[in-house]
Amino acid sequence: MKALGIDVGGSGTKAALVDVQTGDWLTERLRIETPHPAKYEDLLEALQAIIAHFEWSGPVGCGFPGVIRQQTIFTAANLHKSLVGSRLGEAMTKGKQPAWLINDADAAGLAEVRFGLGKEKPGVVLFLTIGTGIGTAFFVDGKLVPNAELGHLLMQVGKGKVMEAEHYAADSARHRDELKWPEWAKRFDEFLHVIHALTQPDEIIIGGGVAKKGHKFLDHIDPPCPLHLAQLQNRAGIIGAALAAAERVASR
Ligand code: BGC
């Protein structure tokens, strides 16, 4: 089965047609700038244009950087508040083809667990995406527990100073504060230790943009448990979104 996977990010939105049996991309990746500000109408129009670009009439899955419950968007921390309360997934296909909206980290983690490193890993795996924000997804014996939002944990980051983890340790914080990799790694390591102490996963897998930059920071962290870089790197978001849509269709 094939499905179109779309990954909405804070800066770019990416899409490709995916063979959901193998996880392979069947087309080139399309990348557009995410509308800024990403108001509901503008993002909807962008998603509809992506679907039209692929001339695709089958299932469409869309990874979104926020909490999605029962297909309704509950949070959109790095996008626009007009998205909250909307049902973007159904709207993007105008109800004419199967559509499925899923949290972006949940989507990427699903792909990694199915086709990449997390394959058949028993126990609790915590998957992280590090980019504009910090996305987190838990897998228990390969099954997703959706909508973990550990990137919004409040961390003590200095005397009397508390910050949201993603404002302190996401890749966007590295850019914003012009940190050298070892400086950023120190912050990321603090974050890893806090979330590990609170949730005790057996393993951590790191995805998102920084998964390609392991050589820049791995030597500067002291992980609290076995930690790996995602095999699918930043392809995972698209593959996982497609997979989630296809599985939804199959289960009907
Ligand atoms: C959002 C998460 C998302 C993460 C990565 C956070 O700001 O709240 O839902 O997974 O960013 O995009």
Side-chain angles (χ1 to χ4, degrees):
M1 186 187 239
K2 299 175 196 166
L4 182 64
I6 306 178
D7 184 18
V8 177
S11 50
T13 293
K14 289 110 358 196
L17 196 61
V18 177
D19 177 330
V20 297
Q21 259 89 38
T22 61
D24 293 329
W25 286 5
L26 301 169
T27 61
E28 294 275 296
R29 181 187 82 150
L30 173 73
R31 185 191 188 277
I32 59 158
E33 290 297 310
T34 302
H36 192 76
K39 290 194 178 151
Y40 172 78
E41 287 300 340
D42 298 331
L43 186 57
L44 176 60
E45 204 177 296
L47 295 178
Q48 288 173 342
I50 288 172
I51 297 168
H53 166 91
F54 285 93
E55 298 179 349
W56 179 243
S57 55
V60 184
C62 179
F64 179 89
V67 171
I68 314 293
R69 296 210 318 260
Q70 315 298 334
Q71 290 303 289
T72 297
I73 296 175
F74 276 76
T75 68
N78 294 309
L79 296 179
H80 194 263
K81 58 180 185 325
S82 57
L83 288 155
V84 174
S86 73
R87 296 173 72 82
L88 189 64
E90 290 155 7
M92 73 184 173
T93 59
K94 303 174 187 161
K96 291 188 188 141
Q97 59 203 95
W100 193 248
L101 201 60
I102 176 170
N103 171 266
D104 58 352
D106 289 355
L110 263 186
E112 194 65 33
V113 162
R114 190 66 53 84
F115 301 113
L117 252 195
K119 217 161 143 186
E120 285 157 27
K121 275 214 159 79
V124 179
V125 173
L126 172 56
F127 179 84
L128 306 178
T129 60
I130 315 294
T132 307
I134 295 184
T136 54
F138 282 101
F139 292 86
V140 182
D141 294 331
K143 199 165 167 23
L144 171 68
V145 182
N147 290 316
E149 287 283 335
L150 301 183
H152 296 291
L153 203 75
L154 293 178
M155 283 176 63
Q156 178 95 34
V157 299
K159 236 184 168 187
K161 194 170 175 205
V162 169
M163 270 176 100
E164 259 185 72
E166 71 174 20
H167 294 159
Y168 182 63
D171 202 33
S172 54
R174 185 176 64 80
H175 288 290
R176 185 197 60 216
D177 295 344
E178 296 175 3
L179 301 177
K180 300 216 164 62
W181 278 99
E183 294 169 319
W184 175 80
K186 188 172 165 288
R187 292 188 182 190
F188 183 55
D189 195 50
E190 284 172 49
F191 171 66
L192 290 176
H193 282 268
V194 171
I195 56 173
H196 189 269
L198 294 175
T199 66
Q200 299 291 332
D202 294 308
E203 290 196 23
I204 295 178
I205 301 178
I206 302 185
V210 305
K212 286 191 286 189
K213 307 273 172 65
H215 56 288
K216 304 229 184 219
F217 69 89
L218 283 181
D219 284 347
H220 303 283
I221 63 175
D222 179 20
C225 66
L227 175 138
H228 312 279
L229 297 176
Q231 231 170 41
L232 302 178
Q233 299 185 336
N234 50 5
R235 281 177 298 141
I238 290 177
I239 299 170
L243 192 62
E247 289 189 345
R248 194 64 202 169
V249 170
S251 73
R252 272 192 196 136

